[in-house]
Amino acid sequence: MDLEKLRKTAAEIVSREDVKYLIGWRQGTFGYRAAPCFVEDAAGAAELTFSPLCSANLATYLTLAEKLPVPRGKEPDSRKTALLVKGCDSRAVVQLLVEKGVKREELVIIGCPCPGMVDRALLAEVIPEESAPADLKWSGGGFVLVKNGLETALPRDRVLAEQCRLCRHPNPVVSDILLGEPVQPWEVGPDGGVDEIEAKDVADRWDYWEEQFSRCLRCYACRNACPLCYCKDCILDRLNPTWINRAVNFSENTAYHLARAFHLAGRCIECGACERACPAHIPLGKLNRKLAREVRDQYGFEPGLDANAEPFQAAFKPDDPEEFIL
Amino acid sequence: MSEQFEPNIVAFLCNWCSYAGADLAGTSRVQYPANINVIRVMCSGRVNPLYVMNALQQGADGVLVSGCHPGDCHYMEGNFYARRRLGLLKELLEFAGVDPRRFHMSWVSASEGHKWKEVVEKTVEDARAAGPFDQFRRRQIDW
Amino acid sequence: MTEKPKLGVYVCHCGINIAATVDVAAVTEYALTLPNVKVARNYSYMCSDPGQLLIKNDIKNEGLNRVVVASCSPRMHELTFRKALQEAGLNPYFLEMANIREQCSWVHENRDEATAKAKKLVAAAVAKARLLEPLEAREVEAEPAALVIGGGIAGIQAALDIADAGFKVYVVEKTPSVGGRMSQLDKTFPTLDCSACILTPKMVDCAGHPNIELMTYAEVEEVGGFIGNFNVKVRKKARYVDFVKCTGCGDCAAACRMAGRFLSEFDAGVGKRSAVYLPFPQAVPAKYTIDPESCLFLSRGKCGKEPKCVEACRAGAIDFTQQDEIVEFKVGAIVVATGFDVFDARRKPEYGYADYPNVITGLEMERLVSASGPTGGKVKIHNGVEEIIPQEIAFIQCVGSRDKSTGNEYCSRVCCMYTAKQAHLIKDKIPGANVRVYYMDVRAFGKGFEEFYDRVRREGVRYIRGNPSEIFRRKEKLVIKVEDTLTATPLEDEVDLVVLAVGLEPRADARKTIELLRLSQSPDRFFLEAHPKLRPVDTATDGIFLAGCCQGPKDIPDTVAQAKGAAASAMVPLARGKVKIGAQVACVNEDTCRGCGFCAAICPYSAIEMVTINRMGHPVEVARVNEALCKGCGSCAAGCLSDSIQPRSFRDRQILPQIAVLGVLR
């Protein structure tokens, strides 16, 4: 990725009259982090970056943007939002278009073909994270860490994030401007994380998830980080009716996580934001990927690829599977 | 031998086929286990998949959703939506370690009183075999 | 709205129907312990006047604002009790029923178990009733017109009755003529009056009635809407003969290159017709039709130099450029009278129907004995050597009826009597003939039926109790292998002609009608009525009624009676001019709706549209429900991720407490 081109393009876009701001990534202030940022001028554009640390899904911010009350007599701000998208971010945008969460004419989409992101935890296992910010680059088939002026090569398989290893769509599926050349999609192996659980018998699966869900703090970071969990008033927060109690205990936690996963069935674009956001390191991606796999294999549908697709949960086929029905 | 475990089943029945089928079973005096407790909804399409989860959490050992046969839905398509949603829910529950014998879905028409009996027996037997589902019980109940 | 709920719980004994298995006193006592319950009573028959009075008095005297009735199925008496609430000045939708009869006392024997379950069901009903909301039933205009599907005797009779009452009727008949199966019959049992003589005037009336618009050779393509406001789309198939110009002279049929080459549907395959044809001489309308499958010009694009019919028709009515025409109209009620098919005797191969020309069906026999039939009413057959008048004639009963192996467990109800009638006609036409009837049981249950059966036996028709196992040929004769079960004698009877008394079956295209009108089928595959005893002409869909054999086998008097019943029922909304629309429709919380449009995509009735509203100065899309179109199925609600759309009376906040109660109580 040519960062100069990225910054120049971004500067041009934010200087446009009809653009409110651009959502991108910049170098973080701590260790192996890149931070999402809102760029409103050329100075901001100069800070933009795109590196293997930019795993945050920027589509999330499209629906998080608060719509402040418009004073009487004033028109609402109808300027466009520009954003940088990787493959997964772009799929989230497409799914938002399907769900009318955003309007295409209100977006300027800058596509960034993505060779894959690192998993910060894996990276820290190889080279411990320190407070000073470090930079990471793609190089050849792997990554190069630039820290204190020293470059360390890292094999791709060692530090590549799980969702990226399983990624089928590394190139943006929708964009107005595509930066750089599309990357060659890579061979996607079996989803070991999901297979491993499927291989267990049902009681062992329960025990596995009991161990996981018991650690949940119910901070809702998974929900808030998800680009497709954007209801202003989540039903799981409501008191009337009460779907889940506020109490943090295994029963309510399980109910919360199953409901969350189910609401994303046929919608999840497998970006892994939920799992990255989880402070308790619950492997939430496995729940989502399991459902995404069933939707793909049994129903022949993959969300976030076609903005004109019927929403999966609001459609059916007469020959949908029904072997499970008595 | 210790006393046999009696599972508690919550069932959601569509008004036009399955509820009518269950009524027919009654009119025909077909006998079946009393473990089943029916909630009437207008269409199986009304059954929010989270109801199933909620029932298991609230104390049910098994859940049944029953609607019209495909093509016979009083509302034309409701059962097709139910089939897709609940099929996925079943996958999710199984993946999460919920015994597949705890959740069933069936097509029972208004004329299938005997099928209703069979479905109830199967649901109850399966839930009995799966045992009490205490692990998932809601801790406090304030109704 | 914030008024505190005050509930009354009424437990019905239903005589001993409930009380024998459920301890109603214990259930009543238990109900009093439930939250917000002020009054709980039990009574022998809650649905009776004194029972309803109990409720009404408590509403007035105790200030109840919600009522729970624990009795039979809500499908039985919900309306009764809603009415009682209304009469006592309470909103009728403040009622919840616990089904402790059909789904409790009648299906569980153990008194303790049944009582415990009844308590749970009452508790769940109380939990929901506390949260019920007042609803208003609305009314919309009803179109004062009816659609009758099928132009057989049932359809004709229903159409005439509705039209005579002054309403517009559209009759849609698939074949080129009205008349249906009855027009194929010769005489009718047990009175022996000529079928055509009594039917033809009705056919003519039907076509000529100022209020009836008859569409023959047409099919209903689409039905949308609801009672009072059905939108109907009909395809009038191209006849390739100008309906106005055709004089019905028949010159075209005589001239047709394929004259007499095709089996006549009307003559049950016994007679022949041309490619251009009138189904039968008395057909109404008396207009010719070209069958596009058998017409050379239409099927191959070429018929000599010029089709002969074009030359022959002096009226210039032949028009090969005709196209199907789509007609749309609106009706308030629909009568379904699509009739039946006769059992295909090839499905009983042991009777050799497919192999031996002298094994025929009852319907073929009708055409054979009919004066207007292909043989002019003379019973003549060809035995392989010469044309003869059969002397040994056998009838076999219950072919395709009361027979699990064919999938038809039911009795077709007409075969015993039409066999007796045909046996009589044979005796009449061939005085010396030896007529035998092989039967399982003779069912002669109608007015004058038993007397007729007696008469036929006195005329010398022999009834042999036995189900033939096989029919095979021996020289010019057919041999029937059968055991006379009354004398336990194995027989091999040699006969000239075998008539199979084939039963009645649902039409082959019944599935299409079901999908078109969203009907249900009973186990015998005929259309299902709303209630077998009390609503025999209604269907589960308001405004759609059944008449004739599409609902189950029946004879002509029963068919006509049912058609008159269906007509009377269909006229209720038409005469009133208004219909009630369900109050339990969906509603949207626009504050939480995120405008994703899932509900609008799901709704099978297109009752939801997305509209733009102003939310704090921002234009946002939200869902809006057209209450006249919404049927309250709730599929939208289960698909809404933010629970912003909810069907009234079946909201999440009303159902979740039910789940909680049923789950918690063990």
Side-chain angles (χ1 to χ4, degrees), chain C residues 593-611:
Chain C
C593 175
R594 55 183 210 169
C596 67
F598 283 12
C599 52
I602 289 169
C603 181
Y605 300 97
S606 310
I608 303 172
E609 55 174 350
M610 304 306 293
V611 296

PDB file of all heavy atoms in Angstrom, chain C residues 593-611:
ATOM      1  N   CYS C 593     -37.952   1.671  15.579  1.00  0.00           N
ATOM      2  CA  CYS C 593     -37.816   1.060  14.252  1.00  0.00           C
ATOM      3  C   CYS C 593     -36.570   1.594  13.578  1.00  0.00           C
ATOM      4  O   CYS C 593     -36.340   2.796  13.534  1.00  0.00           O
ATOM      5  CB  CYS C 593     -39.043   1.385  13.402  1.00  0.00           C
ATOM      6  SG  CYS C 593     -38.904   0.791  11.707  1.00  0.00           S
ATOM      7  N   ARG C 594     -35.751   0.682  13.053  1.00  0.00           N
ATOM      8  CA  ARG C 594     -34.527   1.149  12.423  1.00  0.00           C
ATOM      9  C   ARG C 594     -34.638   1.183  10.905  1.00  0.00           C
ATOM     10  O   ARG C 594     -33.660   1.437  10.216  1.00  0.00           O
ATOM     11  CB  ARG C 594     -33.349   0.303  12.870  1.00  0.00           C
ATOM     12  CG  ARG C 594     -33.554  -1.171  12.632  1.00  0.00           C
ATOM     13  CD  ARG C 594     -32.383  -1.954  13.172  1.00  0.00           C
ATOM     14  NE  ARG C 594     -32.210  -3.150  12.367  1.00  0.00           N
ATOM     15  CZ  ARG C 594     -31.161  -3.933  12.431  1.00  0.00           C
ATOM     16  NH1 ARG C 594     -30.170  -3.640  13.233  1.00  0.00           N
ATOM     17  NH2 ARG C 594     -31.087  -5.002  11.689  1.00  0.00           N
ATOM     18  N   GLY C 595     -35.839   0.895  10.417  1.00  0.00           N
ATOM     19  CA  GLY C 595     -36.092   1.092   8.993  1.00  0.00           C
ATOM     20  C   GLY C 595     -35.422   0.083   8.078  1.00  0.00           C
ATOM     21  O   GLY C 595     -35.213   0.352   6.899  1.00  0.00           O
ATOM     22  N   CYS C 596     -35.082  -1.090   8.602  1.00  0.00           N
ATOM     23  CA  CYS C 596     -34.345  -2.054   7.781  1.00  0.00           C
ATOM     24  C   CYS C 596     -35.225  -2.675   6.699  1.00  0.00           C
ATOM     25  O   CYS C 596     -34.734  -3.209   5.720  1.00  0.00           O
ATOM     26  CB  CYS C 596     -33.716  -3.139   8.638  1.00  0.00           C
ATOM     27  SG  CYS C 596     -34.914  -4.224   9.434  1.00  0.00           S
ATOM     28  N   GLY C 597     -36.544  -2.645   6.920  1.00  0.00           N
ATOM     29  CA  GLY C 597     -37.452  -3.177   5.902  1.00  0.00           C
ATOM     30  C   GLY C 597     -37.597  -4.685   5.912  1.00  0.00           C
ATOM     31  O   GLY C 597     -38.207  -5.254   5.013  1.00  0.00           O
ATOM     32  N   PHE C 598     -37.064  -5.374   6.918  1.00  0.00           N
ATOM     33  CA  PHE C 598     -37.230  -6.831   6.982  1.00  0.00           C
ATOM     34  C   PHE C 598     -38.717  -7.188   7.029  1.00  0.00           C
ATOM     35  O   PHE C 598     -39.175  -8.084   6.333  1.00  0.00           O
ATOM     36  CB  PHE C 598     -36.549  -7.407   8.238  1.00  0.00           C
ATOM     37  CG  PHE C 598     -35.053  -7.523   8.137  1.00  0.00           C
ATOM     38  CD1 PHE C 598     -34.339  -6.914   7.113  1.00  0.00           C
ATOM     39  CD2 PHE C 598     -34.345  -8.257   9.084  1.00  0.00           C
ATOM     40  CE1 PHE C 598     -32.963  -7.022   7.032  1.00  0.00           C
ATOM     41  CE2 PHE C 598     -32.964  -8.380   9.007  1.00  0.00           C
ATOM     42  CZ  PHE C 598     -32.274  -7.761   7.991  1.00  0.00           C
ATOM     43  N   CYS C 599     -39.457  -6.459   7.866  1.00  0.00           N
ATOM     44  CA  CYS C 599     -40.884  -6.769   8.034  1.00  0.00           C
ATOM     45  C   CYS C 599     -41.629  -6.620   6.710  1.00  0.00           C
ATOM     46  O   CYS C 599     -42.469  -7.449   6.365  1.00  0.00           O
ATOM     47  CB  CYS C 599     -41.500  -5.896   9.110  1.00  0.00           C
ATOM     48  SG  CYS C 599     -41.209  -4.139   8.876  1.00  0.00           S
ATOM     49  N   ALA C 600     -41.294  -5.547   5.985  1.00  0.00           N
ATOM     50  CA  ALA C 600     -41.981  -5.310   4.714  1.00  0.00           C
ATOM     51  C   ALA C 600     -41.659  -6.424   3.726  1.00  0.00           C
ATOM     52  O   ALA C 600     -42.509  -6.849   2.944  1.00  0.00           O
ATOM     53  CB  ALA C 600     -41.580  -3.956   4.143  1.00  0.00           C
ATOM     54  N   ALA C 601     -40.414  -6.929   3.785  1.00  0.00           N
ATOM     55  CA  ALA C 601     -40.035  -8.025   2.893  1.00  0.00           C
ATOM     56  C   ALA C 601     -40.746  -9.312   3.296  1.00  0.00           C
ATOM     57  O   ALA C 601     -41.110 -10.129   2.455  1.00  0.00           O
ATOM     58  CB  ALA C 601     -38.522  -8.233   2.924  1.00  0.00           C
ATOM     59  N   ILE C 602     -40.958  -9.496   4.589  1.00  0.00           N
ATOM     60  CA  ILE C 602     -41.562 -10.729   5.081  1.00  0.00           C
ATOM     61  C   ILE C 602     -43.066 -10.757   4.809  1.00  0.00           C
ATOM     62  O   ILE C 602     -43.612 -11.773   4.401  1.00  0.00           O
ATOM     63  CB  ILE C 602     -41.310 -10.875   6.603  1.00  0.00           C
ATOM     64  CG1 ILE C 602     -39.835 -11.186   6.867  1.00  0.00           C
ATOM     65  CG2 ILE C 602     -42.213 -11.940   7.211  1.00  0.00           C
ATOM     66  CD1 ILE C 602     -39.434 -11.084   8.323  1.00  0.00           C
ATOM     67  N   CYS C 603     -43.754  -9.657   5.025  1.00  0.00           N
ATOM     68  CA  CYS C 603     -45.231  -9.639   5.026  1.00  0.00           C
ATOM     69  C   CYS C 603     -45.816 -10.277   3.762  1.00  0.00           C
ATOM     70  O   CYS C 603     -45.598  -9.797   2.657  1.00  0.00           O
ATOM     71  CB  CYS C 603     -45.771  -8.229   5.160  1.00  0.00           C
ATOM     72  SG  CYS C 603     -47.579  -8.216   5.200  1.00  0.00           S
ATOM     73  N   PRO C 604     -46.583 -11.376   3.910  1.00  0.00           N
ATOM     74  CA  PRO C 604     -47.145 -12.031   2.732  1.00  0.00           C
ATOM     75  C   PRO C 604     -48.295 -11.236   2.127  1.00  0.00           C
ATOM     76  O   PRO C 604     -48.753 -11.550   1.040  1.00  0.00           O
ATOM     77  CB  PRO C 604     -47.642 -13.376   3.263  1.00  0.00           C
ATOM     78  CG  PRO C 604     -47.424 -13.391   4.723  1.00  0.00           C
ATOM     79  CD  PRO C 604     -46.916 -12.062   5.162  1.00  0.00           C
ATOM     80  N   TYR C 605     -48.774 -10.221   2.829  1.00  0.00           N
ATOM     81  CA  TYR C 605     -49.935  -9.475   2.334  1.00  0.00           C
ATOM     82  C   TYR C 605     -49.555  -8.089   1.853  1.00  0.00           C
ATOM     83  O   TYR C 605     -50.427  -7.268   1.578  1.00  0.00           O
ATOM     84  CB  TYR C 605     -50.989  -9.367   3.440  1.00  0.00           C
ATOM     85  CG  TYR C 605     -51.460 -10.721   3.882  1.00  0.00           C
ATOM     86  CD1 TYR C 605     -50.924 -11.340   5.003  1.00  0.00           C
ATOM     87  CD2 TYR C 605     -52.399 -11.417   3.135  1.00  0.00           C
ATOM     88  CE1 TYR C 605     -51.327 -12.607   5.387  1.00  0.00           C
ATOM     89  CE2 TYR C 605     -52.811 -12.674   3.505  1.00  0.00           C
ATOM     90  CZ  TYR C 605     -52.267 -13.266   4.629  1.00  0.00           C
ATOM     91  OH  TYR C 605     -52.667 -14.514   4.996  1.00  0.00           O
ATOM     92  N   SER C 606     -48.256  -7.808   1.789  1.00  0.00           N
ATOM     93  CA  SER C 606     -47.786  -6.468   1.425  1.00  0.00           C
ATOM     94  C   SER C 606     -48.494  -5.404   2.252  1.00  0.00           C
ATOM     95  O   SER C 606     -48.869  -4.352   1.746  1.00  0.00           O
ATOM     96  CB  SER C 606     -48.004  -6.191  -0.064  1.00  0.00           C
ATOM     97  OG  SER C 606     -47.488  -7.243  -0.815  1.00  0.00           O
ATOM     98  N   ALA C 607     -48.700  -5.715   3.526  1.00  0.00           N
ATOM     99  CA  ALA C 607     -49.437  -4.786   4.389  1.00  0.00           C
ATOM    100  C   ALA C 607     -48.507  -3.753   5.017  1.00  0.00           C
ATOM    101  O   ALA C 607     -48.971  -2.845   5.696  1.00  0.00           O
ATOM    102  CB  ALA C 607     -50.171  -5.561   5.473  1.00  0.00           C
ATOM    103  N   ILE C 608     -47.196  -3.924   4.831  1.00  0.00           N
ATOM    104  CA  ILE C 608     -46.253  -3.004   5.475  1.00  0.00           C
ATOM    105  C   ILE C 608     -45.549  -2.193   4.402  1.00  0.00           C
ATOM    106  O   ILE C 608     -45.061  -2.738   3.415  1.00  0.00           O
ATOM    107  CB  ILE C 608     -45.218  -3.778   6.307  1.00  0.00           C
ATOM    108  CG1 ILE C 608     -45.931  -4.642   7.350  1.00  0.00           C
ATOM    109  CG2 ILE C 608     -44.242  -2.815   6.984  1.00  0.00           C
ATOM    110  CD1 ILE C 608     -45.030  -5.590   8.086  1.00  0.00           C
ATOM    111  N   GLU C 609     -45.543  -0.886   4.589  1.00  0.00           N
ATOM    112  CA  GLU C 609     -44.768  -0.060   3.663  1.00  0.00           C
ATOM    113  C   GLU C 609     -43.794   0.783   4.475  1.00  0.00           C
ATOM    114  O   GLU C 609     -43.993   1.035   5.656  1.00  0.00           O
ATOM    115  CB  GLU C 609     -45.685   0.819   2.811  1.00  0.00           C
ATOM    116  CG  GLU C 609     -46.613   1.673   3.626  1.00  0.00           C
ATOM    117  CD  GLU C 609     -47.411   2.637   2.777  1.00  0.00           C
ATOM    118  OE1 GLU C 609     -47.102   2.761   1.588  1.00  0.00           O
ATOM    119  OE2 GLU C 609     -48.333   3.266   3.314  1.00  0.00           O
ATOM    120  N   MET C 610     -42.718   1.190   3.813  1.00  0.00           N
ATOM    121  CA  MET C 610     -41.732   2.013   4.486  1.00  0.00           C
ATOM    122  C   MET C 610     -42.071   3.472   4.189  1.00  0.00           C
ATOM    123  O   MET C 610     -42.274   3.851   3.032  1.00  0.00           O
ATOM    124  CB  MET C 610     -40.327   1.687   3.973  1.00  0.00           C
ATOM    125  CG  MET C 610     -39.939   0.214   4.113  1.00  0.00           C
ATOM    126  SD  MET C 610     -40.120  -0.448   5.774  1.00  0.00           S
ATOM    127  CE  MET C 610     -38.863   0.476   6.645  1.00  0.00           C
ATOM    128  N   VAL C 611     -42.163   4.257   5.235  1.00  0.00           N
ATOM    129  CA  VAL C 611     -42.474   5.677   5.052  1.00  0.00           C
ATOM    130  C   VAL C 611     -41.363   6.512   5.707  1.00  0.00           C
ATOM    131  O   VAL C 611     -40.665   6.031   6.593  1.00  0.00           O
ATOM    132  CB  VAL C 611     -43.836   6.048   5.685  1.00  0.00           C
ATOM    133  CG1 VAL C 611     -44.958   5.313   4.994  1.00  0.00           C
ATOM    134  CG2 VAL C 611     -43.838   5.761   7.179  1.00  0.00           C
TER     135      VAL C 611
END
